[in-house]
């Protein structure tokens, strides 16, 4: 399948020297709590339903989360919040995602990241974002016949999603719609393109910075996913 081929090709990508060095250094010198565990230490592909109606866009794998487990949002605190919310809404089989063989299944949705290797301090530089961009565009393109809604977790994901949709042939308004928690925009194809309308909804990222401080609550996150899932027909 095309998606499988994409995942395989992406898994050997070494296009960003700084990120390759960081993902491999973290894997060689893991955090003490994970010292006995094997680390993935490579690009982390999107995962979930191969024919999703909803795409969830994050930022990049966490050094000791996705970079360890090989699955985005798996094995870190942000993922704990994300999967608990998806499970409450019937969009994930279980409420946690701890490792790639844990039996978790995403129901009608797929989780993707604009940058696929763990960046130092969770901050990719613009050249890394641009170098990784074609992977996201291609993954979205392979899912585009079924996707009807997207949730962007944070402003970085929001901007990356708008850029991806523009590259795929959607008419993105100028000035670009502003990110906010609960912000929404419906995007249609540019003239001459045949693409289904897509609802994009913004959410604060479920990082500890937001969840510990109460900036993002469970009910706020649930409301965003409920809205996007309903629009997508899930
Ligand atoms: Fe390749 Fe993306 Fe990783 Fe850069 S961040 S090395 S483009 S997979």
């Amino acid at each position: 399948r095309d998606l499988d081929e994409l995942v395989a090709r992406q898994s050997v990508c070494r296009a960003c020297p700084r990120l390759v060095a960081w993902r491999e250094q973290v894997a060689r010198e893991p955090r003490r709590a994970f010292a006995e565990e094997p680390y993935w230490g490579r690009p982390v592909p999107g995962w979930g339903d191969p024919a999703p109606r909803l795409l969830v866009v994050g930022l990049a794998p966490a050094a000791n989360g996705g970079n360890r487990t090989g699955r985005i949002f798996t094995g870190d605190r942000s993922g704990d919040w994300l999967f608990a919310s998806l499970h409450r809404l019937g969009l994930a089989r279980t409420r946690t995602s701890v490792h790639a063989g844990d039996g978790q299944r995403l129901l009608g949705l797929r989780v993707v990241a604009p940058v696929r290797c763990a960046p130092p301090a969770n901050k990719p530089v613009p050249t890394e974002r641009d170098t990784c961009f074609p992977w996201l565009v291609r993954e979205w393109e392979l899912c585009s016949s079924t996707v009807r809604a997207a949730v962007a977790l944070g402003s970085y994901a929001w901007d990356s999603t708008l850029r991806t949709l523009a590259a795929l042939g959607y008419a993105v308004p100028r000035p670009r719609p502003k990110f906010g928690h609960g912000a929404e925009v419906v995007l249609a194809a540019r003239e001459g393109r045949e693409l289904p309308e897509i609802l994009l909804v913004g959410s604060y990222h479920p990082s500890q910075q937001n969840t510990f401080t109460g900036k993002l609550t469970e009910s706020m996150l649930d409301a965003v996913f409920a809205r996007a899932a309903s629009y997508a027909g899930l």
Side-chain angles (χ1 to χ4, degrees):
R1 278 191 42 112
D2 288 344
L3 261 179
D4 293 339
E5 191 191 328
L6 179 80
V7 167
R9 288 180 50 206
Q10 182 207 285
S11 73
V12 294
C13 181
R14 301 181 68 81
C16 305
R18 188 183 78 114
L19 300 191
V20 171
W22 179 245
R23 76 192 192 200
E24 293 178 357
Q25 183 190 326
V26 173
R28 272 195 313 274
E29 301 161 12
R31 190 177 276 178
R32 191 181 302 171
F34 307 122
E36 303 304 317
E37 295 189 21
Y39 267 62
W40 173 245
R42 292 162 68 172
V44 181
W47 72 287
D49 197 318
R53 298 189 68 81
L54 171 61
L55 280 179
V56 179
V57 185
L59 195 172
N64 292 285
N67 187 54
R68 173 171 57 91
T69 61
R71 219 168 57 178
I72 194 80
F73 278 114
T74 296
D76 64 50
R77 294 276 172 83
S78 301
D80 289 347
W81 267 68
L82 172 66
F83 295 112
S85 177
L86 295 176
H87 180 62
R88 285 192 292 273
L89 294 163
L91 299 169
R93 182 193 268 170
T94 65
R95 65 182 311 281
T96 59
S97 182
V98 289
H99 59 78
D102 60 7
Q104 176 62 287
R105 255 188 71 207
L106 303 182
L107 308 171
L109 69 111
R110 190 169 182 86
V111 185
V112 295
V115 174
R116 286 155 187 245
C117 293
N122 292 322
K123 285 195 171 65
V125 299
T127 50
E128 293 160 349
R129 177 201 61 203
D130 294 348
T131 305
C132 209
F133 183 59
W135 292 121
L136 177 59
V137 173
R138 182 64 183 142
E139 184 161 0
W140 199 308
E141 190 177 24
L142 289 171
C143 300
S144 60
S145 62
T146 54
V147 174
R148 297 293 179 273
V151 171
L153 298 173
S155 60
Y156 194 97
W158 176 267
D159 292 343
S160 295
T161 301
L162 289 174
R163 224 175 136 205
T164 302
L165 290 169
L168 289 172
Y170 281 87
V172 175
R174 293 266 172 190
R176 288 198 169 175
K178 277 211 170 90
F179 170 75
H181 185 84
E184 287 190 9
V185 57
V186 175
L187 295 156
R190 284 198 296 271
E191 215 177 310
R193 303 298 297 265
E194 283 201 17
L195 293 163
E197 281 189 346
I198 285 193
L199 171 73
L200 170 62
V201 190
S203 168
Y204 293 141
H205 191 287
S207 64
Q208 285 179 279
Q209 207 180 356
N210 289 335
T211 56
F212 272 20
T213 56
K215 184 174 178 183
L216 179 67
T217 64
E218 289 181 351
S219 59
M220 286 167 71
L221 190 57
D222 289 0
V224 163
F225 281 119
R227 165 70 176 136
S230 156
Y231 187 94
L234 291 172

